[in-house]
């Protein structure tokens, strides 16, 4: 059953990463500020006013010329008429542009709660202009999480000096995908992080010993030959959940509000829960002069459910990271050993 859970989980995890990596950002269109949008609108309206008035003047001049050719009016009357028409349309252009300029000055006062206001085009047609173009960062982002460091296991009242496992040789590794959601819309001091991770916890027993399973008992026993390596590994699939607090750099423009935690202090605290998806023991030794490698895969009476607490502290993408399993490694009636880890965690954007 654990093998099925492992392969299904790994396949889903890999597929998720492929889909995230395959997503390409669409080219972003150049965004105009509200001021630029308004100016662009009014410049177009001004050009339209000038074009329309010139066209009217041209048509009326042609009528005057036809009247002159047909002898309806004299040359002197024609010139006077043309001058009056030119002055009239010039005044029309001046007045209509002045109206548009007044509309531009009234823009902010006329804006409604949605960031829109009503302006009148060259033909008196109402035009709704939205000036509220501010865009916020995405509330939710995601990144790859990688962690590694020292691992060990103790029972209540036991110190590291009395541990049954080597301090330097026992290590852990974690890899996963995490989502980060800004809790509040316009501030970034509190973030909610959650995701999916694989944890690989390794323990190297001291004193030439290995784990032995005997019915419902699992215990350390001295090996009959000199061991070059003895390592017990537990693989977990967990869902980590953290609240992250810390300052962030706020950058605000007319069209965007951006928060960055680059090179900023961050503190995360929370926990994780999931499944133990496999255990194995790796041995290296010499027998009759030959090097022997053995991989022993068994249940070892470990608990199937995994849950614990974890926290991290640091700057930018690298943080000091610690986790502690609240569940014992082995089921009753075995020793109540709890796994714990301390190392570095990297959030790879």
């Amino acid at each position: 059953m654990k093998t099925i859970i492992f392969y299904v989980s790994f396949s889903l995890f890999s597929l998720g990463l492929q889909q995230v990596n395959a997503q390409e950002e669409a080219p972003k269109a150049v965004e105009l500020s509200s001021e630029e949008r308004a100016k662009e609108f009014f410049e177009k309206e001004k050009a339209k006013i000038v074009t329309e008035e010139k066209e009217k003047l041209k048509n009326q001049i042609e009528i005057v010329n036809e009247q002159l050719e047909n002898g309806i009016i004299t040359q002197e009357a024609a010139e006077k008429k043309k001058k009056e028409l030119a002055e009239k349309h010039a005044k029309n252009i001046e007045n209509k542009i002045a109206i548009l300029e007044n509309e531009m000055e009234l823009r902010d006062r006329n804006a409604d709660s949605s960031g829109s206001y009503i302006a009148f085009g060259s033909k008196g047609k109402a035009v709704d202009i939205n000036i509220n173009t501010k865009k916020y960062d995405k509330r939710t982002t995601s990144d790859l999480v990688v962690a590694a460091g020292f691992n060990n296991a103790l029972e209540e009242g036991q110190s590291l000096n009395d541990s049954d496992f080597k301090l330097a040789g026992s290590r852990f590794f974690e890899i996963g995908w995490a989502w980060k959601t800004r809790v509040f819309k316009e501030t970034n001091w509190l973030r909610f992080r959650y995701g999916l991770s694989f944890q690989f916890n390794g323990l190297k027993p001291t004193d030439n010993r290995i784990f032995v399973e005997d019915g419902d008992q699992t215990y350390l026993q001295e090996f009959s030959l000199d061991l070059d390596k003895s390592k017990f590994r537990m693989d977990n699939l967990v869902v980590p959940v953290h609240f992250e607090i810390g300052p962030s750099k706020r950058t605000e423009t007319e069209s965007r509000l951006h928060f960055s935690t680059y090179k900023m202090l961050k503190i995360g605290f929370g926990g994780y829960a999931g499944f133990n998806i496999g255990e194995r023991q790796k041995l290296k030794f010499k027998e009759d002069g030959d090097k022997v490698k053995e991989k022993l895969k068994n249940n070892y009476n470990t608990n199937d459910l995994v849950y614990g607490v974890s926290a991290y502290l640091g700057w930018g993408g690298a943080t000091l990271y610690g986790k502690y399993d609240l569940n014992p490694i082995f089921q009753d009636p075995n020793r109540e050993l709890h796994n714990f880890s301390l190392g570095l965690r990297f959030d790879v954007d």
Side-chain angles (χ1 to χ4, degrees):
M1 183 63 182
K2 289 183 178 180
T3 302
I4 295 174
I5 293 174
F6 173 78
Y7 284 112
V8 171
S9 303
F10 186 77
S11 300
L12 291 174
F13 181 73
S14 301
L15 180 61
L17 288 182
Q18 290 174 2
Q19 290 177 341
V20 171
N21 292 332
Q23 291 177 352
E24 296 182 358
E25 291 187 0
K28 293 183 179 179
V30 178
E31 294 182 0
L32 296 178
S33 68
S34 60
E35 187 68 25
E36 291 171 333
R37 282 160 51 89
K39 284 183 178 180
E40 183 180 60
F41 169 78
F42 284 111
E43 288 301 324
K44 288 181 179 179
E45 289 298 311
K46 286 180 183 180
K48 195 180 296 184
I49 288 170
V50 173
T51 300
E52 289 175 355
E53 292 298 326
K54 283 185 175 180
E55 188 65 28
K56 291 178 182 178
L57 176 61
K58 178 182 176 183
N59 293 336
Q60 290 177 354
I61 293 294
E62 289 178 355
I63 293 173
V64 172
N65 288 334
E66 289 179 3
Q67 291 175 343
L68 179 61
E69 291 176 3
N70 295 330
I72 299 174
I73 58 174
T74 64
Q75 181 68 37
E76 183 180 355
E79 293 299 327
K80 182 180 179 181
K81 186 67 173 177
K82 290 178 183 179
K83 183 178 179 181
E84 290 175 350
L85 290 171
E87 290 176 351
K88 170 188 171 182
H89 289 288
K91 198 67 176 177
N92 286 349
I93 292 173
E94 181 182 347
N95 291 341
K96 288 183 178 181
I97 289 177
I99 292 172
L100 283 177
E101 289 174 345
N102 287 335
E103 285 288 338
M104 197 169 181
E105 292 175 3
L106 291 170
R107 172 169 58 96
D108 293 335
R109 288 200 298 270
N110 290 339
D112 60 25
S113 59
S114 66
S116 298
Y117 74 98
I118 305 299
F120 291 91
S122 59
K123 294 183 179 180
K125 183 179 179 181
V127 181
D128 182 32
I129 301 178
N130 192 321
I131 62 174
N132 187 11
T133 59
K134 179 168 289 186
K135 293 185 177 179
Y136 291 88
D137 272 357
K138 292 180 179 179
R139 291 283 290 274
T140 299
T141 58
S142 61
D143 56 38
L144 179 69
V145 174
V146 178
F150 299 107
N151 195 65
N152 216 288
L154 297 173
E155 57 185 335
E156 188 176 355
Q158 188 179 19
S159 69
L160 272 175
N161 293 330
D162 300 326
S163 174
D164 292 315
F165 309 101
K166 296 178 181 179
L167 299 183
S170 302
R171 301 183 184 91
F172 85 98
F173 179 76
E174 180 175 336
I175 184 169
W177 196 260
W179 287 264
K180 178 172 66 176
T181 299
R182 190 170 69 246
V183 175
F184 303 106
K185 182 179 180 181
E186 297 189 19
T187 183
N188 195 43
W189 70 271
L190 178 62
R191 286 89 68 180
F192 181 54
R193 293 186 67 100
Y194 50 95
L196 186 69
S197 289
F198 287 99
Q199 295 176 346
F200 307 97
N201 299 318
L203 295 170
K204 287 188 176 181
T206 59
D207 302 328
N208 204 66
R209 294 179 295 174
I210 66 171
F211 275 107
V212 175
E213 182 180 3
D214 183 10
D216 61 355
Q217 296 280 340
T218 300
Y219 52 88
L220 286 169
Q221 178 177 285
E222 187 174 356
F223 195 61
S224 58
L225 299 172
D226 290 334
L227 289 166
D228 293 326
K229 183 177 183 179
S230 172
K231 182 179 180 180
F232 179 71
R233 196 183 87 191
M234 299 161 288
D235 301 338
N236 301 329
L237 173 66
V238 299
V239 175
V241 176
H242 294 94
F243 282 102
E244 183 179 286
I245 60 175
S248 58
K249 184 179 179 181
R250 175 183 173 125
T251 304
E252 186 172 1
T253 64
E254 194 169 359
S255 60
R256 191 182 182 206
L257 178 61
H258 175 65
F259 296 99
S260 173
T261 57
Y262 179 66
K263 291 186 177 180
M264 293 287 183
L265 174 68
K266 62 177 67 172
I267 302 172
F269 52 92
Y272 51 91
F275 300 97
N276 176 0
I277 57 177
E279 312 83 4
R280 66 198 66 201
Q281 205 167 184
K282 187 174 182 181
L283 308 178
K284 289 184 181 181
F285 55 90
K286 287 184 180 180
E287 186 175 22
D288 297 328
D290 296 327
K291 292 183 178 180
V292 179
K293 295 182 181 179
E294 285 190 1
K295 292 183 180 180
L296 309 176
K297 192 170 183 181
N298 212 329
N299 180 266
Y300 292 102
N301 296 304
T302 56
N303 278 304
D304 292 334
L305 293 179
V306 178
Y307 52 93
V309 293
S310 55
Y312 54 89
L313 166 68
W315 283 262
T319 56
L320 183 65
Y321 175 57
K323 60 185 182 71
Y324 177 81
D325 285 358
L326 295 174
N327 64 285
I329 296 175
F330 303 106
Q331 301 173 12
D332 287 336
N334 292 284
R335 295 171 61 193
E336 194 170 317
L337 289 170
H338 292 267
N339 191 85
F340 66 93
S341 311
L342 182 64
L344 291 177
R345 168 188 169 118
F346 302 91
D347 294 308
V348 186
D349 294 330

